Amino acid sequence: QVQLVESGGGLVQPGGSLRLSCAASGIIFSRYAMGWYRQAPGKQRELVATITNYGSKNYARSVKDRFVISRDNVKNTVSLSMNSLKPEDTAVYYCNAKNVLLEYWGQGTQVTVSS
């Protein structure tokens, strides 16, 4: 059974930082590209950042230079370090695992940026 379990969300003030983690099980982790997506109330889910199984990274323009995605192929985890957070970063953040045939999603973790 495939599981992607996110953690690390919460309430943070503008300008603050958070680190999200996603623990994967039930897949050969090193064979999947991993990513973080987010969905704000009333909006479509959007890409935040992805990292291929070879470590190549891609970021949404709105988070580039503020967020950093990383992966650990031994611990089967992918993380998202978020700095200089803004109210517009408020959303549910979802972990994603994808290869040419299959795609999986986590349940999501809430991030709220507010004073």
Side-chain angles (χ1 to χ4, degrees):
Q1 182 181 359
V2 178
Q3 282 194 310
L4 300 177
V5 180
E6 301 99 335
S7 62
L11 173 65
V12 63
Q13 292 188 341
S17 299
L18 277 178
R19 181 178 173 88
L20 305 182
S21 292
C22 171
S25 59
I27 60 173
I28 302 175
F29 185 79
S30 60
R31 296 184 182 178
Y32 283 75
M34 300 299 297
W36 288 95
Y37 291 72
R38 68 187 181 187
Q39 188 167 17
K43 294 188 177 181
Q44 288 190 329
R45 191 173 297 189
E46 63 177 4
L47 180 148
V48 176
T50 59
I51 183 167
T52 69
N53 50 339
Y54 297 107
S56 178
K57 303 175 185 181
N58 181 53
Y59 296 94
R61 189 173 300 178
S62 60
V63 308
K64 196 171 175 63
D65 298 327
R66 297 190 297 124
F67 291 10
V68 178
I69 189 171
S70 59
R71 66 186 294 158
D72 186 327
N73 287 345
V74 175
K75 295 181 179 179
N76 291 358
T77 59
V78 59
S79 298
L80 185 69
S81 295
M82 306 185 294
N83 301 303
S84 302
L85 283 160
K86 304 175 181 180
E88 51 264 44
D89 294 317
T90 295
V92 178
Y93 283 70
Y94 296 91
C95 179
N96 174 272
K98 185 189 304 184
N99 66 15
V100 292
L101 295 175
L102 300 168
E103 183 173 26
Y104 302 100
W105 292 92
Q107 298 275 46
T109 185
Q110 176 70 46
V111 172
T112 302
V113 185
S114 175
S115 55

